Amino acid sequence: MTTTTARGDGDRADLPGAGHDGLGRGTAGGFAGAVASEWTKLWSVRTPYLCLVAGLAMTGVFTFYYASIARINEYPVQPVGNAAASSAVIVQFAVVVLAMVTVTSEYSTGSVRASLLWVPRRHLVQAAKALVAGAVAFVAGTACAVVGMAVAWGPFGGRASFEAGTAVGQVLAVGLYQALVAVLTVGVAFATRHPAGALSILATLLWGLPSVLLGLGGPTLAAVNDVLPHGAGDHFMRVGTDAPHAPATAALIVAAWATGAQLVGLYVLRRRDA
């Protein structure tokens, strides 16, 4: 279905994100208005709050377990941030759900038609959703990393080190990875339009496929995993491990996946509309 995009100027002051010019006249919100609208819609439902709480809870449990195993098995001393970085393999799915519902909930209720009427330029709607989801995921990722380090320090029992510069770098790296996962998710959600389809693709890409490749083993399969989103992301989040890519290269690989998903999502959005 193709939505109608033409509206009278007099209607714009009533649109989400629209403002006033100080003389009582309505002004179009543009991209800033689209971002404001997406921000308001995101926090008007309970899902983001539940995802953030779930992410923090999973971080606490995973990092406690990770550090305890490192102490029990007497692993070599490693940066305490490695526990938080490793927890991203689970916590990323809280981010996936948070970002996915910004798109799929509107398709399931039909409210996407209203969004595309308020902001007729499709790429601005998609960019606004990606920006809001990515920003929230970045903050959530950094918060989870800080909590994960704090939780893991005690259970490590001396099997971890702490350097301020390394810790800050890992906190920002986890936040960046989660932000890119959110942008990737928004693109996949626009391409599939359905939560089951989007979640199936993302679970396979971010967890299922890496598990199979690493489980089967071998240098070729490991090399394939190194260019998948989580495989590459792990290389710039964790410190002191063997990595085939420099951290900047690994970050660019994840960014390339997110960009590719956005392009596919935009293509589908323009082809099929609402």
Side-chain angles (χ1 to χ4, degrees):
M1 175 181 177
T2 300
T3 57
T4 304
T5 59
R7 288 179 65 97
D9 291 341
D11 295 336
R12 293 189 176 185
D14 299 328
L15 300 179
H20 297 274
D21 60 2
L23 300 175
R25 295 174 301 186
T27 58
F31 182 62
V35 171
S37 175
E38 294 302 329
W39 179 268
T40 301
K41 286 188 289 184
L42 177 66
W43 297 113
S44 65
V45 295
R46 286 180 293 180
T47 300
Y49 301 98
L50 295 175
C51 289
L52 295 178
V53 171
L56 288 172
M58 287 189 289
T59 298
V61 172
F62 188 96
T63 52
F64 183 90
Y65 177 79
Y66 180 97
S68 298
I69 292 299
R71 184 193 72 250
I72 293 170
N73 292 333
E74 298 183 346
Y75 288 167
V77 175
Q78 58 185 298
V80 66
N82 279 3
S86 297
S87 71
V89 69
I90 298 297
V91 178
Q92 65 183 341
F93 289 104
V95 171
V96 164
V97 174
L98 185 152
M100 184 181 67
V101 297
T102 64
V103 179
T104 58
S105 63
E106 291 198 354
Y107 277 102
S108 62
T109 61
S111 61
V112 67
R113 298 185 183 91
S115 295
L116 295 177
L117 284 171
W118 296 332
V119 187
R121 286 179 289 181
R122 276 46 178 159
H123 67 283
L124 292 186
V125 175
Q126 183 174 341
K129 289 182 181 294
L131 179 60
V132 169
V136 172
F138 177 80
V139 174
T142 57
C144 286
V146 171
V147 170
M149 290 184 189
V151 171
W153 181 254
F156 262 124
R159 309 304 299 180
S161 61
F162 177 82
E163 293 182 5
T166 301
V168 170
Q170 286 192 282
V171 166
L172 296 177
V174 174
L176 174 61
Y177 175 74
Q178 298 293 13
L180 292 174
V181 167
V183 175
L184 168 69
T185 299
V186 170
V188 172
F190 267 110
T192 62
R193 304 183 170 203
H194 195 278
L199 192 57
S200 297
I201 292 173
L202 291 164
T204 300
L205 182 64
L206 297 173
W207 182 78
L209 190 55
S211 298
V212 171
L213 294 174
L214 295 179
L216 293 175
T220 301
L221 297 183
V224 173
N225 179 66
D226 289 335
V227 296
L228 293 179
H230 184 260
D234 189 64
H235 291 315
F236 73 81
M237 289 188 289
R238 290 206 295 166
V239 174
T241 59
D242 294 332
H245 314 297
T249 302
L252 288 174
I253 291 173
V254 185
W257 278 96
T259 302
Q262 285 291 309
L263 293 175
V264 173
L266 182 59
Y267 174 79
V268 174
L269 178 61
R270 285 178 167 170
R271 290 279 296 180
R272 298 175 58 188
D273 210 31

